Amino acid sequence: MSDAFERIRREFPIRRHWVYLNNGSIGAISTRTMRAVEAFLADVRDNGRLHYPDWCRVAEFDIKPDIGRLIGADRGEIAFVKNTTEGLCIVANGLDWRPGDNVVLPDIEYPSNVYCWMNLRRRGVEIRWAKSEDGRITLDAIAAAMDARTRIVSCSGVQFSYGFRMDLDGLCELCHARGALVNLDMIHWIGALPLDLSKTPVDFLSAGGHKWLLAPIGTGFFYARAAVRDRLQLTTVGYHTVDKSEDHLDYDLTPRPDARRFEEALVNFPGLWGLAESVRMFLEVGMDNVARHIRELTDRAAEGLLRKGYRIVSSMAPAERSGNLCFRHPTRAPEELETLLRSARILAAVRPGGLRISPSIYNDASDIDALLAALPPA
């Protein structure tokens, strides 16, 4: 498997310029992904709309099935979106809310999974906060925040800052036993950790492609479990919402029977061609191998950081770890360390809690060693 990783490393030109450990912000693009985007644009340049039917066929019957294999879902449960926020808004705005209903959120969520729910206050919807402790969100904390009016629990599968990984099976069991839906922001999970939705009954899921999936900005997908899909009302509709092909004057607003109903108009075909190549790269290597590789890199980083006197802020419990590793120097600010690393051509991210690294499939031990060499001791 080391040969496969070595081949992939050669496909990322960013390695010639930076030690890039910030894939949890915006992931680097590979040459194969770039070529796919350029090939699509060249088709439009040379042929205009001629191949539009083929684009739709490839998107639906090639790209969506590959995404389905990556996450354990049927293509009919997947819709293309431009980012995670769009998927979260589909759920927040699509539920049939009643005044007094509530949504439960962890109190350390990324703003995308907060503002769409705050915007429901005008409809009488309350936010109930599950309290975190040292960057961890336990099932007990979520249960304590729920009551008889909780309609949905919305949280990140992996927290953006501390990197805490949620027990998805336990979360689904808890919520469904209480009659609540499960909605997940999975942008920090997919591309770093394995997922099989055929075994874990998540109701709704959103993930942009531009972080761990190393895909173009403006790409992503929304998952709606078939059994609960009809519980979402359509808040934006267009000519792709219905299955009318080219019959544009037959005004029959009957939504498509599957998740395509959430794609109201043209999708980002150039970006999707790039997303497809990125997804195939992860499928080729296998997500178990990807997760193992990333774990080895974060292990190496954590061990070196502890030797230098740093504090690891992220949970190191095996079931709670992710690809994000957050750490702190005992006296020096994360912003100061980020500037120091940047001067050494190393890119990491300042986040609440400390400095965060997020190594990916193309990083290797030399990148971690460069990070450790550039950081000052405690």
Side-chain angles (χ1 to χ4, degrees):
M1 187 52 62
S2 59
D3 290 343
F5 284 107
E6 183 56 39
R7 287 195 300 272
I8 285 172
R9 277 193 279 275
R10 291 197 291 268
E11 295 190 55
F12 283 85
I14 196 171
R15 291 179 57 81
R16 297 196 293 267
H17 310 288
W18 297 93
V19 172
Y20 194 72
L21 297 170
N22 199 15
N23 299 286
S25 178
I26 293 179
I29 296 291
S30 68
T31 52
R32 75 166 78 177
T33 294
M34 195 77 171
R35 285 195 301 268
V37 174
E38 291 170 343
F40 182 90
L41 292 174
D43 182 21
V44 181
R45 178 196 64 203
D46 296 340
N47 302 294
R49 185 195 187 276
L50 178 65
H51 296 137
Y52 170 73
D54 295 328
W55 306 339
C56 295
R57 179 189 56 78
V58 169
E60 189 64 28
F61 296 104
D62 291 343
I63 301 177
K64 281 185 182 177
D66 280 346
I67 293 172
R69 281 188 282 275
L70 188 71
I71 65 174
D74 182 81
R75 69 173 178 83
E77 298 174 305
I78 297 168
F80 294 121
V81 292
K82 63 181 179 292
N83 49 47
T84 307
T85 300
E86 184 178 2
L88 295 170
C89 287
I90 288 173
V91 179
N93 297 326
L95 289 175
D96 183 20
W97 296 102
R98 298 177 299 273
D101 287 345
N102 68 68
V103 54
V104 169
L105 307 176
D107 63 2
I108 52 172
E109 280 294 309
Y110 194 76
S112 295
N113 192 35
V114 176
Y115 294 150
C116 61
W117 308 105
M118 291 177 67
N119 194 45
L120 297 175
R121 288 173 177 166
R122 55 190 167 82
R123 297 174 63 179
V125 178
E126 176 193 1
I127 293 176
R128 296 176 64 88
W129 299 100
K131 297 191 178 301
S132 61
E133 184 175 350
D134 294 328
R136 300 174 67 252
I137 300 291
T138 65
L139 294 178
D140 286 343
I142 291 175
M146 298 175 73
D147 65 11
R149 298 299 302 273
T150 299
R151 296 283 303 282
I152 193 166
V153 173
S154 187
C155 68
S156 297
V158 169
Q159 289 295 329
F160 79 101
S161 180
Y162 296 88
F164 173 78
R165 172 159 53 113
M166 181 64 66
D167 174 4
L168 299 187
D169 291 322
L171 179 66
C172 290
E173 183 178 357
L174 166 66
C175 293
H176 293 162
R178 298 191 179 197
L181 295 164
V182 176
N183 181 52
L184 296 179
D185 172 345
M186 290 290 274
I187 197 170
H188 280 283
W189 186 299
I190 299 172
L193 296 165
L195 179 66
D196 188 351
L197 295 174
S198 70
K199 298 178 180 178
T200 303
V202 172
D203 296 306
F204 308 114
L205 174 157
S206 302
H210 66 274
K211 294 184 186 291
W212 294 91
L213 279 174
L214 312 177
I217 297 169
T219 64
F221 52 87
F222 170 64
Y223 164 87
R225 188 161 61 92
V228 297
R229 181 172 53 228
D230 289 343
R231 296 177 67 172
L232 293 180
Q233 301 174 356
L234 297 176
T235 56
T236 58
V237 295
Y239 76 110
H240 273 207
T241 303
V242 301
D243 199 4
K244 289 294 179 183
S245 184
E246 301 296 301
D247 196 357
H248 298 317
L249 295 181
D250 183 4
Y251 303 131
D252 176 13
L253 185 52
T254 300
R256 292 185 178 197
D258 55 21
R260 288 176 297 169
R261 66 179 65 180
F262 301 112
E263 300 166 1
E264 70 274 11
L266 281 174
V267 294
N268 175 11
F269 285 115
L272 292 181
W273 260 230
L275 174 66
E277 284 303 316
S278 295
V279 167
R280 288 168 193 145
M281 178 175 62
F282 284 97
L283 289 173
E284 288 169 13
V285 178
M287 283 310 305
D288 287 336
N289 294 319
V290 171
R292 187 179 306 112
H293 176 74
I294 293 173
R295 175 67 61 88
E296 289 172 355
L297 295 180
T298 54
D299 279 345
R300 189 182 190 93
E303 291 165 6
L305 288 164
L306 289 171
R307 286 196 300 269
K308 293 176 78 79
Y310 285 71
R311 176 192 168 206
I312 304 300
V313 179
S314 298
S315 172
M316 299 302 287
E320 298 177 351
R321 290 185 60 183
S322 68
N324 287 324
L325 184 72
C326 188
F327 57 91
R328 290 191 68 90
H329 189 280
T331 59
R332 302 179 74 165
E335 293 81 1
E336 180 186 359
L337 297 179
E338 191 273 340
T339 300
L340 182 67
L341 290 176
R342 187 182 294 251
S343 67
R345 308 295 296 177
I346 302 168
L347 294 178
V350 175
R351 290 293 182 266
L355 197 65
R356 186 195 71 189
I357 61 167
S358 44
S360 186
I361 189 172
Y362 64 87
N363 294 111
D364 63 11
S366 69
D367 296 328
I368 302 302
D369 293 344
L371 170 79
L372 296 172
L375 285 170

